[in-house]
């Protein structure tokens, strides 16, 4: 099942949206985006749990 994520769904003022085949691939894209656009070398646990709970079926 394809999954999608948007930064605005976790309260970030950011237009980034992405979708992928599965959650694992999606999280890889989210991590890359967090690193390059939000200067987060690592996504902390609290943010990661927000990310995961905001993931929707694409
Ligand atoms: Zn973003």
């Amino acid at each position: 099942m394809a999954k999608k994520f948007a930064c605005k769904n976790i309260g970030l003022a950011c237009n980034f949206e992405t979708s992928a085949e599965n959650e694992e691939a999606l999280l890889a894209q989210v991590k890359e985006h967090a690193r390059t656009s939000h200067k987060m070398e690592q996504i902390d646990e609290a943010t990661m749990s927000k990310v995961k709970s905001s993931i929707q079926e694409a």
Side-chain angles (χ1 to χ4, degrees), residues 5-8 12-17 30 33-34 37-38:
F5 168 81
C7 275
K8 64 178 188 307
L12 293 171
C14 171
N15 291 325
F16 177 76
E17 288 186 8
V30 172
H33 168 74
S37 299
H38 295 284

Side-chain angles (χ1 to χ4, degrees), residues 35-49:
R35 196 171 59 77
T36 57
S37 299
H38 295 284
K39 310 287 183 217
M40 285 182 203
E41 277 305 314
Q42 292 206 308
I43 301 178
D44 65 51
E45 231 172 272
T47 305
M48 184 53 85
S49 83

Side-chain angles (χ1 to χ4, degrees), residues 21-33:
E21 294 286 293
N22 54 47
E23 184 173 299
E24 191 181 23
L26 186 70
L27 288 175
Q29 292 179 16
V30 172
K31 283 178 190 169
E32 178 65 16
H33 168 74

